[in-house]
mmCIF file of all heavy atoms in Angstrom:
data_model
loop_
_atom_site.group_PDB
_atom_site.id
_atom_site.type_symbol
_atom_site.label_atom_id
_atom_site.label_comp_id
_atom_site.label_asym_id
_atom_site.label_seq_id
_atom_site.Cartn_x
_atom_site.Cartn_y
_atom_site.Cartn_z
ATOM 1 N N THR B 80 77.960 110.935 94.489
ATOM 2 C CA THR B 80 78.256 110.890 95.916
ATOM 3 C C THR B 80 79.338 109.854 96.167
ATOM 4 O O THR B 80 79.155 108.685 95.830
ATOM 5 C CB THR B 80 77.000 110.549 96.740
ATOM 6 O OG1 THR B 80 75.980 111.526 96.492
ATOM 7 C CG2 THR B 80 77.324 110.536 98.232
ATOM 8 N N VAL B 81 80.428 110.325 96.737
ATOM 9 C CA VAL B 81 81.509 109.419 97.128
ATOM 10 C C VAL B 81 81.231 109.023 98.571
ATOM 11 O O VAL B 81 81.291 109.861 99.477
ATOM 12 C CB VAL B 81 82.885 110.096 97.010
ATOM 13 C CG1 VAL B 81 83.992 109.110 97.369
ATOM 14 C CG2 VAL B 81 83.089 110.650 95.608
ATOM 15 N N THR B 82 80.888 107.772 98.784
ATOM 16 C CA THR B 82 80.498 107.326 100.112
ATOM 17 C C THR B 82 81.691 106.756 100.867
ATOM 18 O O THR B 82 82.595 106.162 100.268
ATOM 19 C CB THR B 82 79.402 106.262 100.029
ATOM 20 O OG1 THR B 82 79.923 105.116 99.340
ATOM 21 C CG2 THR B 82 78.189 106.787 99.273
ATOM 22 N N SER B 83 81.680 106.959 102.177
ATOM 23 C CA SER B 83 82.750 106.451 103.034
ATOM 24 C C SER B 83 84.119 106.694 102.386
ATOM 25 O O SER B 83 84.873 105.761 102.098
ATOM 26 C CB SER B 83 82.542 104.956 103.294
ATOM 27 O OG SER B 83 83.466 104.478 104.250
ATOM 28 N N ALA B 84 84.378 107.949 102.173
ATOM 29 C CA ALA B 84 85.593 108.315 101.431
ATOM 30 C C ALA B 84 86.862 107.928 102.179
ATOM 31 O O ALA B 84 86.928 107.980 103.414
ATOM 32 C CB ALA B 84 85.582 109.811 101.158
ATOM 33 N N HIS B 85 87.858 107.545 101.399
ATOM 34 C CA HIS B 85 89.181 107.218 101.930
ATOM 35 C C HIS B 85 90.225 108.041 101.189
ATOM 36 O O HIS B 85 89.958 108.552 100.087
ATOM 37 C CB HIS B 85 89.462 105.723 101.772
ATOM 38 C CG HIS B 85 88.606 104.868 102.646
ATOM 39 N ND1 HIS B 85 88.825 104.742 104.003
ATOM 40 C CD2 HIS B 85 87.510 104.116 102.361
ATOM 41 C CE1 HIS B 85 87.911 103.939 104.516
ATOM 42 N NE2 HIS B 85 87.107 103.549 103.550
ATOM 43 N N PRO B 86 91.409 108.169 101.739
ATOM 44 C CA PRO B 86 92.437 108.982 101.070
ATOM 45 C C PRO B 86 92.692 108.577 99.607
ATOM 46 O O PRO B 86 92.968 109.437 98.783
ATOM 47 C CB PRO B 86 93.682 108.744 101.942
ATOM 48 C CG PRO B 86 93.126 108.535 103.311
ATOM 49 C CD PRO B 86 91.843 107.757 103.089
ATOM 50 N N GLU B 87 92.550 107.309 99.299
ATOM 51 C CA GLU B 87 92.791 106.877 97.911
ATOM 52 C C GLU B 87 91.702 107.348 96.951
ATOM 53 O O GLU B 87 91.855 107.235 95.729
ATOM 54 C CB GLU B 87 92.924 105.348 97.831
ATOM 55 C CG GLU B 87 91.734 104.585 98.383
ATOM 56 C CD GLU B 87 91.959 104.148 99.819
ATOM 57 O OE1 GLU B 87 92.658 104.872 100.557
ATOM 58 O OE2 GLU B 87 91.406 103.091 100.199
ATOM 59 N N ASP B 88 90.605 107.883 97.506
ATOM 60 C CA ASP B 88 89.556 108.456 96.658
ATOM 61 C C ASP B 88 89.882 109.891 96.264
ATOM 62 O O ASP B 88 89.172 110.485 95.430
ATOM 63 C CB ASP B 88 88.205 108.429 97.378
ATOM 64 C CG ASP B 88 87.744 107.017 97.682
ATOM 65 O OD1 ASP B 88 88.011 106.120 96.859
ATOM 66 O OD2 ASP B 88 87.125 106.810 98.752
ATOM 67 N N SER B 89 90.921 110.441 96.865
ATOM 68 C CA SER B 89 91.329 111.804 96.519
ATOM 69 C C SER B 89 91.677 111.857 95.038
ATOM 70 O O SER B 89 92.479 111.059 94.541
ATOM 71 C CB SER B 89 92.545 112.215 97.355
ATOM 72 O OG SER B 89 92.231 112.213 98.731
ATOM 73 N N SER B 90 91.067 112.793 94.337
ATOM 74 C CA SER B 90 91.255 112.856 92.887
ATOM 75 C C SER B 90 90.535 114.081 92.345
ATOM 76 O O SER B 90 89.911 114.843 93.095
ATOM 77 C CB SER B 90 90.686 111.583 92.236
ATOM 78 O OG SER B 90 91.023 111.509 90.872
ATOM 79 N N PHE B 91 90.627 114.266 91.055
ATOM 80 C CA PHE B 91 89.895 115.319 90.336
ATOM 81 C C PHE B 91 88.727 114.630 89.645
ATOM 82 O O PHE B 91 88.927 113.739 88.816
ATOM 83 C CB PHE B 91 90.850 115.974 89.334
ATOM 84 C CG PHE B 91 90.306 117.208 88.655
ATOM 85 C CD1 PHE B 91 89.949 118.325 89.392
ATOM 86 C CD2 PHE B 91 90.195 117.261 87.273
ATOM 87 C CE1 PHE B 91 89.474 119.473 88.771
ATOM 88 C CE2 PHE B 91 89.727 118.407 86.644
ATOM 89 C CZ PHE B 91 89.359 119.511 87.387
ATOM 90 N N TYR B 92 87.515 115.020 90.010
ATOM 91 C CA TYR B 92 86.320 114.434 89.417
ATOM 92 C C TYR B 92 85.692 115.470 88.492
ATOM 93 O O TYR B 92 85.547 116.634 88.859
ATOM 94 C CB TYR B 92 85.319 114.025 90.499
ATOM 95 C CG TYR B 92 85.820 112.894 91.363
ATOM 96 C CD1 TYR B 92 86.602 113.151 92.492
ATOM 97 C CD2 TYR B 92 85.546 111.574 91.042
ATOM 98 C CE1 TYR B 92 87.082 112.111 93.274
ATOM 99 C CE2 TYR B 92 86.019 110.525 91.827
ATOM 100 C CZ TYR B 92 86.792 110.813 92.939
ATOM 101 O OH TYR B 92 87.276 109.778 93.709
#
Side-chain angles (χ1 to χ4, degrees):
Chain B
T80 302
V81 182
T82 63
S83 187
H85 291 285
E87 56 264 32
D88 297 325
S89 298
S90 189
F91 188 61
Y92 293 87

